[in-house]
Amino acid sequence: MAKSNYSENAYLRLVFNAGTITGIARDAASPVTHLEVALHTADPGEGGLQTTDEIVYDGYQRKLVARTEAEWLVSGSNAIPINDIVFAEMVTGAGGNVTHASVGDGFNNIFYRGPVTPNINVIAGVRPVLTGLDWFASGQNSVITEE
C-alpha cells in the first residue's frame, strides 16, 4: 500500500521539523530536539546503524542538526538541509572515502541514508562538507524523499 502525499509530507515534518500528526503522533514528554548526520565509507544498509561503516578520524563526530523549519526544508515529499553540514577537519586518523551519509535519531538508529556524490576523500587537511540547498538542488546528491 502506498502513502498519500499528505502522509509523506506529514511524516517528514514529524521527523525533520518536530511536527505532529494530529491524533497519531506526538511526544510531549521528551522529544529528540536534534537529528544526527553521520558519514560512512560504505552503504550502512537498511538494517545498519549509524556506527556501521562510519568514518573514523581524530576530531570526527556526528553533526547535530535541529529538528526545525530553520534547519530542514520540508516540501511535498522531500526534506532538504537548509545549511551546509560541516564536519571537523581531519588532522590524524584512518580517514577514508565517504560514500554515504545518514540521518539518525541520536541512538544510532538510521531514519534515512543515501549516497554522497561525488565521494569525499577524507585525508589530512580535508574538512568534509555536505552543502545545504545548493548541494541537494544541484543533483549531486539525493534529496531525502519519503515514498
Side-chain angles (χ1 to χ4, degrees):
M1 182 179 297
K3 293 183 192 88
S4 68
N5 289 342
Y6 167 80
S7 176
E8 292 171 356
N9 182 264
Y11 182 74
L12 287 170
R13 288 183 37 76
L14 175 73
V15 172
F16 289 94
N17 297 152
T20 62
I21 301 174
T22 304
I24 302 293
R26 67 186 177 113
D27 185 352
S30 58
V32 173
T33 59
H34 291 77
L35 297 173
E36 290 190 357
V37 178
L39 300 176
H40 302 272
T41 57
D43 184 352
E46 283 192 27
L49 300 172
Q50 283 196 299
T51 54
T52 304
D53 297 313
E54 189 169 17
I55 195 161
V56 176
Y57 64 86
D58 292 339
Y60 168 79
Q61 60 184 4
R62 296 178 194 152
K63 297 306 289 187
L64 299 177
V65 182
R67 293 176 61 211
T68 65
E69 292 177 0
E71 295 293 335
W72 297 97
L73 172 63
V74 173
S75 177
S77 59
N78 299 313
I80 306 166
I82 292 173
N83 301 301
D84 291 352
I85 301 173
V86 181
F87 294 84
E89 178 180 329
M90 181 180 156
V91 178
T92 61
N97 195 37
V98 172
T99 63
H100 288 76
S102 66
V103 178
D105 62 3
F107 302 100
N108 289 322
N109 300 305
I110 294 175
F111 286 126
Y112 293 94
R113 70 186 205 292
V116 173
T117 307
N119 297 164
I120 303 170
N121 187 21
V122 181
I123 58 174
V126 171
R127 177 184 306 271
V129 177
L130 301 178
T131 306
L133 285 174
D134 292 339
W135 184 60
F136 281 85
S138 71
Q140 292 183 332
N141 190 22
S142 302
V143 173
I144 297 165
T145 302
E146 182 63 27
E147 297 178 6

